[in-house]
């Protein structure tokens, strides 16, 4: 076995760190380009994969080698909860952006009345829980250093891990803690984290391929060797005490589902740095895909390590690096080292950044404000944020050096997961349950954290040798029912499952019970309405009625925000007005906006303390406020009625129009649709909120028009164009779609309104006009051709008659041939006459006719021909004689039935529909194929072996001239039905089956 040289490894390490700085610098330099379109979405999706840390890179292999399939729980949980992200994470992002929230502690504090003490508690719990996790990353980096350098290590002089920790802290300060407003896009940091996600994925896949097919003969050889050994085969079986039980699986699935959203780094990337709310949909499917790829070779590498180092299961975390080192593959070893290093560094930077924000905003800043130390608070807060970042990494480094290596990397990670999960009930219930209050949240998180320490941390300290084993064996003071691994006598569970059960059970139970048994105060109710979205409740009501004195605005903004951004923020607050131009009602609104602006930099609790301390109301302002409200009351009496009248008018217009009118949210999801739209598209009221604009479009237009509409709305522009619309039943029709943005008072896009107009009639009318123009052109051409043919044909006919008369002599054969030619000429003349009839400008000599006189002789003639063909012809009229039928239609019906067919029938029906006389001629002949039905009325088209193809075209023309309609229904093998309707001039006697 050979190792990489010390100078080479240090050069590679420094080179990679320089590469990270260059990537982050490029991200900042090209921030405007990277914040556009798909690049922004891809960066967001890859940055979310910061979930995969050194735990994934090293610890999953170690866990798989020791406990088999249990490693999957850490990734199946996030995969399952990602299915809910389009609903759950969307709401989390939406609320956080509205409230300008920057961290987990900020979220909990803001939700429960902007409580500073609750924010401090959550910050302390989260920091305590995350220090072991940061130590895990640093320990993994240190272990990889030791292994790859071996005896030539520089650890005797100094620890390179310390250099890495300091460098990462500097990186986080430069690209994450430049200012206090973490809600702003940190493009450089997010780009670097996204690049590291690519590095660790490529590295893991590369070493997996190398081990599986480079060192072994493929998956079959590795798994075959494992299953052949009874001791190792158990690793592929579930519900074995020596591997993992169903209870442990359920517990680990639960905490991983919570951790993927509420770990400080995950909340910072997924929620705080979310660029667009709709990007949640992209990360909901791409993040599980990333996890799948990242875990594709975990089992092959773990099992390969067992086969290569059967006595080293205690060191299984290092299998992924030991394998290439053992086989002298320096290149693969360096790839593994860089992959694990990138996985650890991304987590350390983002987590330390998020934790430093929590420490500053929720622990240090409230203490400073209580002591009235508000001089240059912006600079002081920024300084403490950077110091806190260094402090967090220092604590992680100290824990890593102190920890004796008795715990697997995964066991250290689980401790952090369970700690952070103690905040999950307060967050999730706070989003959907209005009764939750700050007392319930405080008691729940405190009790859950204490039980975490008692049932999980103490057993870990016993394993490290820092606490006496008697605590686990006999309990404190000999009280067996207080044993940390069998609390209150609960046995049969492993230590991790036992601690997860007790901490979360007590947490949730106390949260619900205390919230139900105690009353909410005004701040609780106000924030519950803002987070849960209670209808009809003012989200801005609070406990303090104070307003900002306009003369102090400039000083306060510069004091709490910083000189660099102060002027821009002042302009945003005043909206182009000077402080003296602001009315008192505007100052009331200004208080809310200023508090939220401060919350983005200092946290919700500190912002509330500052607002309540400085936003006071003077005597003059109080008098102005009373006068202003009196004027408002007087004007509202008039304006409210006008608004109601306008709303009623607008509603009546929207309800009465025949076009589909709908409104959508910013993400394109429909909110409302008028009744005409519901009738046109076939959607019921309850389905409106579940569909988007793209669901109203055909498959071809979803990509083209759907993307164009989304881009136009995002840019604040409108879009209109012709599309193919789709109904709820999957039917399609031509339509015109027009979409325009809806803006609020601040010119922010809050949705869109669209109009969808059915163009079926217009398109059909246009098609008929085009068809008529084609037929007119064809008629002119046909008339000219017919006239040209008739002249020479007349001469041929005269000469042939002379030959057939015998006056010129000739044999009997020549006479017979001449008669045959005359017969052919007569048929050609018939075709030419039909062509001229079709092309001639027909004028009707209108008059009142009894249809029976026209119909009877035609039916009798057709019946005689039918008897000759063996076809029965029947006429059915409801109580009277037949009214109308066309000779050509009857003849076509007869010719459609093969001669001699025993059951061949032609049926004629006559009846009245409202003011139309209807004749139906039906047969049970061969029928017409679908592709020919639309062509049947075109000139020169026929389905017969012989024929001119003009008969039905002439019929169509005559029916159109009578303002009638003709419809043909047919299917192969089932016959044809021709439906002819004509307007009636009057009915002498009512028909039995029709109208009068």
């Amino acid at each position: 076995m050979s190792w990489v040289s010390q100078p080479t490894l240090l050069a590679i390490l420094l080179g990679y760190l320089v590469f990270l700085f260059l990537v982050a610098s490029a991200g900042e330099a090209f921030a405007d380009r990277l914040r556009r379109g798909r690049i922004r979405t891809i960066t967001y999706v890859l940055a979310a994969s910061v979930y995969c840390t050194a735990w994934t890179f090293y610890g999953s292999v170690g866990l798989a080698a020791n406990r088999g399939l249990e490693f999957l729980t850490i990734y199946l949980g996030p995969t399952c909860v990602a299915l809910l992200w389009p609903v759950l994470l969307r709401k989390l992002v939406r609320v956080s952006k509205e409230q300008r929230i920057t961290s987990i502690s900020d979220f909990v504090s803001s939700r429960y009345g902007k409580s500073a003490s609750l924010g401090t508690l959550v910050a302390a719990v989260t920091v305590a829980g995350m220090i072991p996790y940061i130590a895990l990353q640093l320990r993994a980096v240190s272990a990889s250093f030791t292994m790859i350098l071996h005896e030539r290590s520089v650890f005797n002089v100094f620890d390179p891990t310390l250099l890495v920790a300091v460098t990462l802290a500097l990186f986080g300060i430069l690209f994450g803690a430049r200012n206090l407003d973490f809600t702003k896009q940190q493009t450089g940091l997010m780009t670097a984290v996204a690049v590291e996600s690519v590095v660790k994925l490529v590295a893991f896949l590369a070493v997996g391929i190398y081990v599986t097919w480079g060192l072994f003969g493929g998956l079959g050889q590795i798994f075959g060797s494992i299953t052949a050994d009874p001791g190792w085969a158990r690793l592929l079986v579930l519900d074995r005490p020596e591997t993992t039980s169903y209870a442990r699986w359920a517990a680990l699935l639960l905490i991983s589902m919570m951790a993927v959203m509420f770990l400080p780094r995950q909340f910072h990337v997924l929620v705080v740095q979310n660029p667009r709310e709709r990007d949640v949909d992209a990360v909901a499917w791409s993040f599980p895909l990333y996890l799948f790829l990242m875990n594709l070779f975990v089992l092959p590498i773990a099992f390969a390590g067992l086969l290569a180092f059967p006595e080293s299961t205690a060191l299984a975390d290092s299998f992924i690096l030991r394998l290439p080192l053992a086989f002298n593959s320096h290149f693969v070893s360096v790839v593994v080292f860089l992959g694990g290093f990138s996985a650890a560094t991304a987590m350390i930077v983002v987590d330390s950044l998020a934790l430093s924000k929590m420490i500053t905003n929720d622990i240090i800043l409230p203490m400073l404000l209580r002591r009235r130390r508000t001089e240059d608070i912006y600079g002081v807060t920024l300084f403490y944020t950077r110091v806190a970042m260094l402090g967090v990494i220092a604590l992680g480094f100290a824990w890593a050096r102190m920890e004796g290596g008795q715990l697997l990397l995964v066991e250290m990670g689980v401790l952090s997961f369970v700690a952070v999960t103690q905040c999950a009930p307060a967050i999730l219930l706070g989003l959907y349950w209005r009764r939750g209050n700050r007392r319930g949240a405080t008691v729940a998180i405190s009790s859950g954290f204490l039980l975490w320490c008692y049932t999980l941390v103490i057993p870990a300290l016993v394993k490290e040798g820092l606490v006496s084993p008697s605590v686990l064996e006999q309990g404190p003071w000999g009280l067996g029912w207080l044993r940390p691994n069998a609390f209150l006598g609960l046995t049969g569970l492993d230590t991790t499952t036992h601690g997860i059960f007790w901490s979360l059970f007590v947490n949730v139970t106390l949260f619900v019970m205390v919230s139900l048994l105690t009353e909410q105060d005004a701040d609780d109710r106000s924030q519950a309405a803002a987070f849960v979205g209670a209808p009809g409740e003012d989200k801005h009501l609070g406990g303090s009625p104070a307003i900002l004195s306009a003369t102090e605005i400039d000083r306060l903004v510069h004091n709490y925000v910083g000189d660099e951004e102060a002027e821009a923020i002042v302009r945003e607050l005043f909206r182009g007005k000077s402080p003296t131009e602001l009315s008192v009602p505007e100052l009331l609104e200004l208080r809310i906006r200023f508090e939220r602006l401060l919350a983005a930099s200092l946290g919700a609790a500190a912002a509330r303390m500052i607002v309540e301390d400085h936003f006071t109301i003077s005597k003059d302002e109080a008098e102005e406020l009373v006068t202003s409200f009196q004027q408002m009351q007087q004007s509202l009496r008039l304006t409210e009625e006008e608004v109601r009248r306008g709303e009623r008018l607008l509603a009546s217009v929207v309800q009465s129009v025949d076009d589909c009118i709908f409104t959508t949210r910013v993400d394109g999801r429909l909110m409302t649709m008028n009744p005409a739209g519901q009738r046109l598209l076939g959607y019921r009221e309850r389905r409106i909120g579940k569909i988007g604009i793209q669901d109203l479009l055909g498959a071809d237009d979803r990509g083209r028009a759907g993307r164009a509409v989304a881009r136009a709305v995002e840019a604040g522009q409108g879009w209109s164009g012709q599309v193919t619309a789709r109904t709820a039943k999957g039917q399609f029709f031509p339509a015109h779609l027009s979409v325009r943005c809806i803006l609020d008072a601040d010119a922010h896009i809050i949705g869109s309104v669209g109009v969808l107009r059915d163009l079926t009639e217009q398109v059909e009318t246009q098609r008929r006009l085009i068809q008529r123009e084609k037929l007119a052109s064809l008629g002119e051409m046909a008339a000219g051709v017919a006239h040209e043919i008739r002249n020479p044909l007349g001469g041929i006919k005269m000469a042939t008659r002379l030959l057939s008369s015998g006056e010129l002599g000739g044999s009997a054969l020549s006479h017979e041939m001449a008669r045959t030619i005359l017969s052919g000429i007569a048929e050609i003349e018939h075709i030419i006459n039909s062509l001229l009839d079709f092309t001639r400008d027909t004028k009707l000599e209108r008059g009142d006719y009894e249809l029976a006189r026209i119909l009877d002789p035609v039916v009798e003639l057709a019946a005689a021909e039918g008897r000759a063909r063996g076809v029965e012809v029947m006429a059915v009229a409801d109580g009277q004689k037949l009214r109308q039928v066309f000779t050509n239609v009857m003849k076509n019906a007869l010719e459609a039935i093969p001669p001699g067919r025993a059951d061949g029938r032609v049926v004629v029906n006559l009846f009245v529909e409202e003011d139309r006389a209807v004749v139906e001629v039906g047969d049970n002949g061969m029928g017409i194929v679908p592709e020919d039905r639309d062509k049947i009325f075109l000139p020169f088209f026929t389905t017969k072996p012989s024929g001119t193809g003009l008969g039905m075209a002439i019929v169509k023309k005559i029916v159109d001239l009578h303002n009638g309609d003709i419809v043909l229904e047919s299917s192969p093998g089932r016959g044809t039905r021709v439906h002819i309707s004509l307007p009636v001039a009057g009915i002498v006697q009512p028909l039995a089956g029709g109208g009068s």
Side-chain angles (χ1 to χ4, degrees):
M1 182 185 294
S2 63
W3 289 269
V4 180
S5 66
Q6 171 187 322
T8 301
L9 184 63
L10 291 179
I12 292 172
L13 176 63
L14 292 176
Y16 183 77
L17 291 174
V18 170
F19 168 72
L20 278 186
F21 275 87
L22 291 177
V23 168
S25 300
E28 294 289 345
F30 299 99
D32 292 337
R33 294 183 182 180
L34 295 176
R35 291 171 186 166
R36 297 175 185 170
R38 293 184 179 179
I39 298 179
R40 174 172 54 183
T41 303
I42 293 172
T43 303
Y44 176 65
V45 167
L46 288 173
S49 302
V50 72
Y51 178 78
C52 297
T53 63
W55 174 347
T56 301
F57 209 84
Y58 297 107
S60 291
V61 173
L63 184 61
N66 283 277
R67 303 187 67 87
L69 300 177
E70 182 181 305
F71 81 97
L72 291 174
T73 58
I74 307 303
Y75 308 100
L76 287 177
T79 300
C80 293
V81 80
L83 299 175
L84 301 176
W85 280 357
V87 176
L88 178 59
L89 186 57
R90 263 181 182 270
K91 183 169 186 180
L92 200 62
V93 169
R94 187 182 309 120
V95 170
S96 296
K97 287 185 179 297
E98 289 175 356
Q99 302 294 319
R100 307 291 292 268
I101 287 168
T102 58
S103 65
I104 287 289
S105 58
D106 195 16
F107 186 97
V108 176
S109 169
S110 180
R111 164 60 181 88
Y112 298 101
K114 301 184 179 180
S115 169
S117 59
L118 183 57
T120 302
L121 172 65
V122 174
V125 169
T126 308
V127 170
M130 293 308 300
I131 294 302
Y133 207 169
I134 294 175
L136 181 155
Q137 314 304 313
L138 293 173
R139 197 184 97 177
V141 172
S142 177
S144 61
F145 265 119
T146 304
M147 185 176 300
I148 204 167
L149 292 177
H150 198 54
E151 294 179 357
R152 290 166 289 179
S153 173
V154 295
F155 277 73
N156 293 330
V157 180
F158 78 100
D159 190 347
T161 310
L162 178 60
L163 175 63
V164 171
V166 174
T167 305
L168 294 180
L170 178 63
F171 181 88
I173 290 171
L174 288 177
F175 298 103
R178 285 186 172 182
N179 55 60
L180 289 179
D181 190 354
F182 279 23
T183 62
K184 294 183 178 180
Q185 290 295 301
Q186 299 166 338
T187 310
L189 176 67
M190 293 289 283
T191 304
V193 172
V195 169
E196 290 202 287
S197 294
V198 176
V199 170
K200 64 191 175 192
L201 176 62
V202 172
F204 201 91
L205 292 177
V207 71
I209 294 171
Y210 167 76
V211 170
T212 304
W213 287 281
L215 301 182
F216 291 84
L219 296 173
Q221 179 187 354
I222 294 175
F223 281 89
S225 301
I226 291 297
T227 55
D229 188 302
W232 288 339
R234 64 182 176 80
L235 297 174
L236 295 172
V237 181
L238 294 179
D239 201 29
R240 291 287 183 90
E242 62 270 21
T243 55
T244 184
S245 64
Y246 289 141
R248 183 178 173 89
W249 262 67
L252 293 178
L253 281 173
L254 176 62
I255 64 167
S256 62
M257 291 171 71
M258 298 300 102
V260 76
M261 291 191 297
F262 304 134
L263 284 170
R265 67 179 185 278
Q266 293 300 120
F267 189 85
H268 184 77
V269 171
L270 287 174
V271 179
V272 179
Q273 287 295 306
N274 172 270
R276 295 177 301 182
E277 191 177 317
R278 68 181 185 182
D279 286 339
V280 170
D281 295 335
V283 80
W285 66 264
S286 56
F287 181 67
L289 177 62
Y290 185 95
L291 294 182
F292 170 77
L293 295 175
M294 199 68 191
N295 287 276
L296 198 58
F297 290 102
V298 169
L299 286 176
I301 295 173
F303 292 164
L306 290 175
L307 295 173
F309 316 109
E311 303 300 327
S312 301
T313 55
L315 302 175
D317 286 338
S318 62
F319 278 174
I320 191 171
L321 186 56
R322 289 186 68 187
L323 283 168
L325 285 174
F327 290 91
N328 298 324
S329 179
H330 291 172
F331 176 76
V332 177
S333 300
V334 172
V335 169
V336 173
F337 175 77
L338 288 180
F341 185 73
S342 66
T345 53
M347 178 272 178
I348 292 172
V349 170
V350 181
D351 250 350
S352 60
L353 182 66
L355 290 175
S356 67
K357 187 68 171 174
M358 298 167 69
I359 293 171
T360 305
N361 286 2
D362 295 293
I363 298 177
I364 298 176
L365 193 55
M367 290 191 298
L368 293 177
L369 293 176
R370 290 189 186 101
R371 296 177 182 180
R372 304 291 180 177
R373 295 182 180 180
T374 59
E375 298 81 7
D376 190 21
I377 195 69
Y378 181 87
V380 171
T381 305
L382 187 59
F383 170 76
Y384 278 120
T385 301
R386 295 169 177 174
V387 171
M389 193 170 184
L390 291 170
V392 166
I393 294 180
L395 286 173
F397 180 78
W399 181 287
R401 294 298 298 270
M402 181 179 62
E403 198 269 321
Q406 300 299 316
L407 297 174
L408 288 172
L409 295 180
V410 170
E411 292 174 330
M412 295 175 65
V414 168
L415 282 177
S416 297
F417 273 29
V418 181
V420 172
T421 303
Q422 303 308 315
C423 301
I427 296 172
L428 293 177
L429 291 175
L431 278 175
Y432 296 99
W433 189 43
R434 295 178 61 248
R435 285 293 303 273
N437 59 39
R438 76 181 71 179
R439 295 183 183 88
T442 302
V443 172
I445 295 174
S446 301
S447 59
F449 178 69
L450 290 175
L451 282 170
W452 171 79
C453 294
Y454 189 72
T455 59
L456 289 173
V457 175
I458 289 180
L461 295 177
V462 170
K463 195 170 184 180
E464 289 288 333
L466 300 177
V467 175
S468 172
S470 63
V471 175
L472 298 182
E473 297 169 358
Q474 304 172 9
W477 308 291
L479 300 175
W481 57 275
L482 287 180
R483 286 184 297 162
N485 56 352
F487 189 63
L488 298 184
L490 179 63
T491 58
L493 299 176
D494 63 274
T495 302
T496 301
T497 307
H498 176 268
I500 293 172
F501 168 77
W502 276 117
S503 61
L504 289 181
F505 173 75
V506 174
N507 186 323
V508 175
T509 301
L510 289 179
F511 179 80
V512 174
M513 290 182 61
V514 174
S515 295
L516 290 175
L517 295 175
T518 57
E519 292 293 330
Q520 293 178 318
D521 58 20
D523 286 332
D524 268 334
R525 289 192 296 271
S526 171
Q527 292 304 99
F531 279 67
V532 182
E537 189 166 348
D538 189 351
K539 297 182 180 182
H540 300 314
L541 287 176
S544 173
I547 64 172
L548 175 64
S549 175
T551 58
E552 294 186 70
I553 291 177
D554 257 313
R555 183 183 65 82
L556 289 177
V557 170
H558 283 79
N559 191 26
Y560 290 108
V561 178
D563 294 333
E564 293 182 3
E565 303 174 358
E567 294 302 326
I569 291 173
V570 168
R571 287 194 299 270
E572 179 186 349
L573 284 172
F574 294 153
R575 295 174 180 172
K577 296 182 179 181
S578 66
T580 57
E581 294 176 336
L582 293 174
S583 63
V584 174
E586 289 174 324
L587 290 175
L588 287 170
E589 182 188 357
L590 189 64
R591 172 192 184 276
I592 298 168
R593 291 192 286 117
F594 186 76
E595 183 176 343
R596 287 186 177 175
L597 184 146
L598 284 180
S601 299
L602 308 178
R608 169 56 59 88
M609 294 172 69
I610 293 170
V611 167
E612 290 181 347
D613 186 43
H614 290 279
F615 285 24
T616 56
I617 182 168
S618 65
K619 181 178 179 181
D620 293 338
E621 288 171 335
E623 293 176 356
E624 184 182 352
L625 183 61
V626 172
T627 304
S628 177
F629 279 145
Q630 289 175 347
Q631 295 173 352
M632 288 170 59
Q633 286 180 334
Q634 184 64 30
S635 62
L636 284 176
R637 293 193 184 103
L638 301 176
T639 57
E640 284 181 2
E641 182 59 34
E642 294 175 356
V643 170
R644 292 194 189 97
R645 191 183 309 116
E647 288 177 346
R648 287 194 297 269
L649 177 61
L650 179 60
S652 64
V653 171
V654 172
Q655 297 287 331
S656 61
V657 296
D658 293 331
D659 296 332
C660 170
I661 300 178
F662 58 86
T663 59
T664 73
R665 296 196 295 261
V666 178
D667 59 357
R669 190 70 58 181
L670 266 64
M671 294 191 298
T672 61
M673 181 183 291
N674 67 336
Q678 296 176 26
R679 291 192 299 269
L680 175 64
L681 299 173
Y683 286 105
R684 296 185 177 181
E685 186 73 29
R686 64 174 179 270
R687 285 198 60 193
I688 301 301
K690 301 177 181 179
I691 60 175
I693 293 181
Q694 292 187 347
D695 296 317
L696 308 182
L697 305 177
D700 294 338
D701 284 327
R702 287 185 182 180
R704 177 189 63 84
R707 286 194 295 269
V709 170
R711 286 194 299 267
V713 171
E714 183 181 352
Q717 302 170 352
W719 185 91
S720 61
Q722 188 165 340
V723 298
T724 300
R726 181 181 184 275
T727 67
K729 295 182 179 180
Q731 299 172 339
F732 302 95
F733 61 90
H736 181 272
L737 175 64
S738 178
V739 179
R740 294 293 182 270
C741 295
I742 302 175
L743 306 178
D744 62 10
D746 298 326
H748 295 151
I749 300 173
I750 59 175
S752 63
V753 59
V755 178
L756 187 72
R757 175 170 295 173
D758 186 3
L759 298 182
T760 303
E761 293 185 5
Q762 291 91 322
V763 171
E764 181 63 22
T765 302
Q766 186 177 10
R767 187 192 66 80
R768 289 181 179 178
L769 289 174
I770 294 173
Q771 183 64 28
R772 288 184 179 180
E773 291 176 0
K774 289 181 179 178
L775 293 177
S777 301
L778 180 62
E780 293 177 3
M781 181 188 71
V785 172
H787 282 293
E788 293 297 326
I789 293 176
R790 290 185 75 173
N791 292 332
L793 191 63
I796 295 172
K797 183 177 181 180
M798 291 179 61
T800 305
R801 280 182 177 174
L802 184 59
L803 287 174
S804 65
S805 65
E807 296 179 5
L808 300 179
S811 64
L813 178 60
S814 63
H815 292 167
E816 180 65 27
M817 292 181 65
R819 284 193 291 274
T820 301
I821 293 172
L822 285 173
S823 176
I825 291 172
E827 188 172 344
I828 293 174
E829 285 182 330
H830 174 69
I831 293 173
I832 292 173
N833 290 332
S834 298
L835 184 60
L836 290 173
D837 286 342
F838 174 73
T839 60
R840 190 176 293 118
D841 186 11
T842 306
K843 295 183 179 179
L844 300 178
E845 296 181 1
R846 296 184 179 273
D848 294 340
Y849 294 93
E850 292 186 25
L851 293 183
R853 293 183 181 179
I854 303 172
L855 189 59
D856 286 346
V858 177
V859 173
E860 290 175 2
L861 180 62
E865 184 177 348
R867 285 191 292 273
R869 289 172 169 264
V871 179
E872 179 184 5
V873 178
M874 297 192 317
V876 180
D878 296 334
Q880 267 194 345
K881 293 182 179 181
L882 302 176
R883 293 295 180 107
Q884 185 205 12
V885 77
F886 298 117
T887 303
N888 210 326
V889 176
M890 290 287 294
K891 184 177 179 182
N892 287 342
L894 289 169
E895 293 176 350
I897 303 174
R901 178 175 168 180
D903 61 342
R905 299 180 66 189
V906 176
V907 180
V908 181
N909 289 297
L910 175 64
F911 54 91
V912 173
E913 287 182 349
E914 297 181 355
D915 60 345
R916 312 281 287 185
V918 180
V919 177
E920 281 189 352
V921 179
D923 64 71
N924 60 349
M926 297 179 294
I928 305 172
V929 296
E931 54 267 25
D932 290 343
R933 283 201 299 267
D934 295 335
K935 306 175 184 177
I936 206 69
F937 296 114
L938 297 177
F940 305 112
F941 177 83
T942 181
T943 59
K944 304 174 187 176
S946 62
T948 64
L950 291 170
M952 293 305 290
I954 293 172
V955 168
K956 180 73 166 63
K957 181 177 180 181
I958 294 173
V959 171
D960 287 343
L961 289 171
H962 282 86
N963 296 323
D965 293 313
I966 179 169
V967 179
L968 184 142
E969 300 174 356
S970 182
S971 57
R974 301 183 64 180
T976 303
R977 181 177 300 276
V978 180
H979 182 100
I980 303 170
S981 65
L982 296 169
V984 297
I987 300 178
V988 178
Q989 183 176 351
L991 300 179
S996 58

